[in-house]
Amino acid sequence: MSISFTRTQHLTLIAILSAISFGLMLFPQVPLIPGADFLKLDFSIVPVLLAGYWLNVTAAMWVVILRTVLKLILANEGINTYLGLPVNLVAVMVFTLLMFWVMPMFETRQFPRQLLAIIIATVGLTVAAVLMNWFVAVPLYSQFAHFDIARIIGLGRYFIAMVIPFNIAQGIIWGITSIIVLSVLKPMQRKVIS
């Protein structure tokens, strides 16, 4: 009886965190780089990391997948969603997995470990974003959206002035925000997960 109740609690928490993550994909969206309004910071990572540290990494991946499906179904913006969502999905998964790899358990008094996790996850996020943009987003936007970044902006400028700084800033903001939220909600963790 208690095993299925716990399973039901976990599934419910995953569903709730997925819905919150989906909501945070839509608002607030903050452009960080002048001239690159299409690169927007959102805070959908926070519920993903909550799921991971409160439950497990599999739960975090389910939150990522479910919030992505919700975005695709409920807030689809056409070509921008079809081409941007896979890049976002990979970036969020890489950041999340690296955070858990470096810092498998969240403890509020492990500042050096938290800082290391944020740095490594941010580097991984940036590398993943560059690769996904280079091999997926740039060619597909050129082919399907008729927006040739190489011709209009220039690939060097696009990566050096936009993609790399945006993802470094995004990773740092994601990491700091998530650590703060996890620290504030730490007393609730035992009440929610029991």
Side-chain angles (χ1 to χ4, degrees):
M1 181 79 171
S2 66
I3 291 175
S4 61
F5 180 71
T6 303
R7 217 176 266 155
T8 303
Q9 277 183 315
H10 288 192
L11 290 174
T12 303
L13 185 58
I14 289 169
I16 290 168
L17 291 172
S18 299
I20 293 169
S21 185
F22 164 64
L24 290 171
M25 285 182 86
L26 305 178
F27 181 82
Q29 290 186 350
V30 183
L32 296 177
I33 306 293
D37 291 343
F38 54 93
L39 294 174
K40 294 179 182 166
L41 169 74
D42 69 55
F43 293 93
S44 63
I45 191 77
V46 176
V48 173
L49 292 176
L50 274 173
Y53 284 114
W54 284 11
L55 300 172
N56 54 46
V57 177
T58 305
M61 293 300 105
W62 274 112
V63 171
V64 173
I65 291 166
L66 290 172
R67 65 102 193 176
T68 303
V69 170
L70 287 170
K71 167 79 172 156
L72 191 62
I73 295 169
L74 300 175
N76 194 321
E77 299 169 346
I79 197 78
N80 288 334
T81 300
Y82 296 129
L83 299 180
L85 213 49
V87 176
N88 177 269
L89 178 69
V90 169
V92 169
M93 284 185 159
V94 167
F95 185 87
T96 303
L97 291 171
L98 286 172
M99 283 290 288
F100 292 126
W101 178 64
V102 177
M103 189 175 63
M105 302 295 293
F106 178 77
E107 296 298 330
T108 52
R109 296 184 182 173
Q110 288 186 334
F111 181 73
R113 176 75 105 187
Q114 293 168 0
L115 185 60
L116 181 64
I118 291 170
I119 290 168
I120 290 174
T122 299
V123 169
L125 163 71
T126 305
V127 169
V130 166
L131 293 174
M132 286 297 290
N133 270 278
W134 187 278
F135 292 110
V136 178
V138 170
L140 292 180
Y141 267 106
S142 178
Q143 184 175 357
F144 294 108
H146 307 294
F147 183 74
D148 189 352
I149 292 172
R151 190 172 48 82
I152 296 168
I153 299 172
L155 283 180
R157 181 168 178 237
Y158 174 64
F159 284 107
I160 293 169
M162 296 178 185
V163 174
I164 292 171
F166 171 79
N167 283 286
I168 290 171
Q170 176 173 252
I172 292 167
I173 293 167
W174 276 359
I176 292 169
T177 304
S178 297
I179 296 297
I180 290 168
V181 171
L182 282 161
S183 298
V184 169
L185 296 181
K186 185 74 172 165
M188 285 180 54
Q189 183 176 355
R190 284 198 186 115
K191 294 176 185 174
V192 174
I193 309 300
S194 52

